[in-house]
Amino acid sequence: MIEKIIACAKRYDADIVGFAPADRFSADDPIFKIFPGTKTVIGLGFRVLRGIYRGVEEGTTYYQYTTMGVENLEETVMPLTLLNVSNLIEEEGFIAVPQRKSPLIQNELEGTNPEVDFNDVYRGVKAENQLDFLNCAVQCGLGEKSMIGSLLTDDYGPFIRYCFILTDAELPATELAAPHLCDNCGECIKACPGRAYAEDGKLDSWRCAVYYNGANGSKNPFMPPEAFADREDRMELINGTAQFDSEEAQEILRDIYFYPPAKHSYRTSICGRACDRACYIHLEEKGLLKKGFVRKFREKEDWKLSTKQFETGVREKEWDFGGKK
């Protein structure tokens, strides 16, 4: 049956398929709370197309990453694959429990999900109701965990999203990925326009949300020159160095929506996952990615906009990209 599952998953656009036996998980793992009869966890990985990041990488268009790389994968492609593979499993006489991450539900009482409106997030949901998605991905052999808690894969680096199926079918296990991609270089941490990561890789999700949505003026072509005019620390905020707590973050986010969201309330990523792009570039430069391309992902210095207009309150006639008009 495993060959049928892999063929079906790939026919419906999964790029990586992995299988974890139940004994890889602790007895109190959420998989057994959700489905006590779980014998195998099936992991399905979906690449986020390299070209989807091009608009942000070039500073030209921003909606493609969110609409195609997040919204359509999470709301259309991945659920369709989950349903078709689950249908196949149940046709074989076994139970299939599809598991897709909800962007609006989180176990923690604090923090938020930068990809959605913070007002919509339900916090403190009981842990037994939610899989540890990253752990499941690692246990299914989809990839390894990076220093900042992202999943790294041999072909696509961090450009990957994933979902799972719990089943009572006993299926052959996929080997665990031996850690070999993340070398703790810290490029992901340094790339964040809002310094949302601590040196040890711990994320301040509220800070991430603020700069994911575009608070750094040097990386946001849509920010008006009068942005955050009522804040004394506006230039620090615009330059990514301001200090603020979660309540202040919410105030900032209410004033920061300079670019429209996607249909399902996903926030448009103005930072374009700078952490993931920096990681991918590093892995590509080191020759660690198995899937190669004719052109390098980044062929010139990363661009940066002038922030003079925020000091004067007058929009510059031309943007200064990397010091070039």
Side-chain angles (χ1 to χ4, degrees), residues 210-211 215 228 231 233-240 242 244 252:
V210 165
Y211 287 98
F228 311 121
R231 292 186 65 92
D233 64 346
R234 66 186 297 266
M235 288 309 301
E236 287 83 2
L237 179 63
I238 288 168
N239 288 320
F244 48 83
I252 295 167

Side-chain angles (χ1 to χ4, degrees), residues 112-113 116-121 123 206 249-250 253-254 257:
T112 192
N113 178 359
V116 296
D117 191 318
F118 70 88
N119 290 298
D120 296 332
V121 176
R123 299 176 177 84
W206 284 107
Q250 293 175 36
L253 285 166
R254 292 187 184 99
Y257 295 149

